[in-house]
Amino acid sequence: MSEERLVLEPPDKPLDSDCCGNGCVLCIFDIYNKELEIWKAECELLSKNIANKSHIVAEDINCKTTALHPDKYTEFPIVSVSQETPDILRFRFSVPAQKAIGLSIGQHVIARFKLKNQSTVARQYTPVSPLKTKGYFDLLIKIYTEGRTSQCVKSWQVGDKIEFRASTRSLNYSRNKFDRLLMLCAGTGVAPMCQVISSILEDENDETHLKLLYASKSYKYLMAKNEIDEWSRYWNFSSIFALSQEPEVVNYSYKHGEKIHKGRINKDFVTTHAGGDNSKLLVLVCGPPSFSRDMLKYVKDLGIPESSIHKF
């Protein structure tokens, strides 16, 4: 396939039904509008014959400031693929010259790639590797049995190169502005929480208490478990796993000190773990649309101001 065709193909427009309606900080239509803007710029450059593909879709990956750019794509090679859970793959991408990826706390990456029908799609992911990590970044991606995008992602192999750019929005977080940070997440919604947690715990001067309420259907489907186990050594971090479909009798053992709640995260559960002075509390929410709607309602019912609630 010619490089010109790769660049000139317009992005797929989402359906109205693809929007969850929960007022996401970065809506799927925000991503599409940005993709359209980039596509138009690429077409203009190509029509003037002033750039080849490497100049159009990729900022120089050896630049001095950052490995990613919000307006241009850069290719990163896959260096490892591993099975994180029964339906989650962990991809590690190499960052040249031992650089950090160059994101801010709460900032995502946008991946652009082709499906088997040759249509171009853009998908938003949050690296779970710490922002200061040099030389690579990790993504956890859920594979849906019937998903056309999932089947494409499932075929990615070591050596394949995927295009990425930085998203334009991040979390407005200030060290010690809040006493407590409550994170409500489900499934792959734990990914942005990982980025926030690692960033805060790496800052020796940040004394914010972090509590992660992580919903999953069962223990074996928990993502980023190794990272969470490592963070549990910190004095200001705690987690509770809410397992909605966990069998009464399991053929595996929970780790010592883990807090397991067999059931869903409901309003009483959130109320219990929010605790204290709401004016000193920051709440982060990420998960499927129905989960996010419920969590946002619960925390608003507690009187937590919208300025202290962030939905990824």
Side-chain angles (χ1 to χ4, degrees):
M1 179 178 298
S2 69
E3 293 176 346
E4 288 82 358
R5 184 178 176 184
L6 171 66
V7 173
L8 288 174
E9 287 186 357
D12 279 1
K13 184 177 182 180
L15 300 174
D16 289 342
S17 57
D18 291 333
C19 177
C20 68
N22 284 327
C24 300
V25 172
L26 191 60
C27 175
I28 190 170
F29 282 100
D30 292 332
I31 297 175
Y32 170 72
N33 290 333
K34 186 64 178 179
E35 290 302 302
L36 200 60
E37 178 184 322
I38 293 173
W39 173 73
K40 289 178 180 178
E42 290 176 346
C43 289
E44 182 177 353
L45 286 176
L46 191 63
S47 67
K48 293 179 179 179
N49 294 317
I50 62 171
N52 58 28
K53 174 181 177 274
S54 62
H55 292 123
I56 292 172
V57 300
E59 181 115 63
D60 181 0
I61 55 180
N62 293 314
C63 64
K64 296 181 179 180
T65 55
T66 179
L68 287 176
H69 192 283
D71 298 317
K72 298 180 181 180
Y73 278 94
T74 299
E75 286 185 340
F76 294 90
I78 298 173
V79 293
S80 69
V81 182
S82 58
Q83 195 79 41
E84 180 83 1
T85 74
D87 60 354
I88 298 289
L89 292 176
R90 180 182 287 252
F91 293 91
R92 175 161 293 183
F93 296 86
S94 175
V95 179
Q98 288 299 302
K99 290 183 176 183
I101 191 172
L103 297 179
S104 301
I105 186 170
Q107 192 175 13
H108 314 293
V109 297
I110 308 296
R112 183 173 71 173
F113 50 93
K114 280 185 171 296
L115 303 180
K116 290 184 178 180
N117 64 2
Q118 299 304 313
S119 61
T120 303
V121 297
R123 292 293 182 265
Q124 173 181 279
Y125 302 109
T126 306
V128 294
S129 45
L131 294 177
K132 294 181 180 179
T133 299
K134 295 182 178 180
Y136 71 88
F137 65 94
D138 287 354
L139 297 183
L140 296 179
I141 303 180
K142 185 169 184 176
I143 304 301
Y144 296 90
T145 304
E146 303 299 329
R148 62 170 189 159
T149 301
S150 288
Q151 297 315 304
C152 177
V153 171
K154 188 178 180 180
S155 70
W156 292 355
Q157 300 177 355
V158 171
D160 289 346
K161 294 181 179 180
I162 310 299
E163 293 179 338
F164 289 97
R165 67 175 176 85
S167 67
T168 56
R169 300 184 182 181
S170 57
L171 175 65
N172 184 18
Y173 178 81
S174 300
R175 174 196 298 160
N176 296 321
K177 180 179 179 179
F178 297 91
D179 290 342
R180 307 180 330 279
L181 196 162
L182 179 66
M183 291 163 282
L184 307 172
C185 67
T188 55
V190 74
M193 307 303 178
C194 289
Q195 189 189 83
V196 173
I197 294 166
S198 62
S199 297
I200 293 176
L201 294 182
E202 285 179 348
D203 184 351
E204 295 181 354
N205 296 312
D206 197 329
E207 299 183 350
T208 306
H209 287 256
L210 312 177
K211 179 172 286 189
L212 175 70
L213 304 186
Y214 179 7
S216 179
K217 55 186 176 182
S218 74
Y219 188 82
K220 66 181 180 180
Y221 283 90
L222 292 170
M223 299 164 47
K225 192 64 173 56
N226 290 336
E227 285 89 344
I228 294 172
D229 291 344
E230 180 67 20
W231 296 328
S232 296
R233 299 187 301 105
Y234 287 79
W235 66 273
N236 56 335
F237 174 80
S238 63
S239 62
I240 301 176
F241 304 129
L243 310 176
S244 59
Q245 299 177 30
E246 185 78 339
E248 287 300 320
V249 179
V250 297
N251 58 1
Y252 44 80
S253 300
Y254 303 131
K255 292 188 177 181
H256 177 71
E258 287 184 326
K259 294 183 180 179
I260 304 295
H261 169 74
K262 291 188 177 182
R264 298 183 181 277
I265 298 179
N266 57 27
K267 185 175 181 178
D268 289 340
F269 195 76
V270 172
T271 301
T272 298
H273 293 285
D277 183 0
N278 288 343
S279 66
K280 298 293 185 178
L281 175 67
L282 174 63
V283 179
L284 306 182
V285 176
C286 192
S290 59
F291 174 86
S292 295
R293 282 194 296 269
D294 289 344
M295 297 306 111
L296 291 173
K297 183 179 185 305
Y298 299 157
V299 295
K300 289 176 182 177
D301 286 348
L302 288 176
I304 298 172
E306 290 195 14
S307 59
S308 297
I309 303 171
H310 181 92
K311 180 188 176 300
F312 288 103

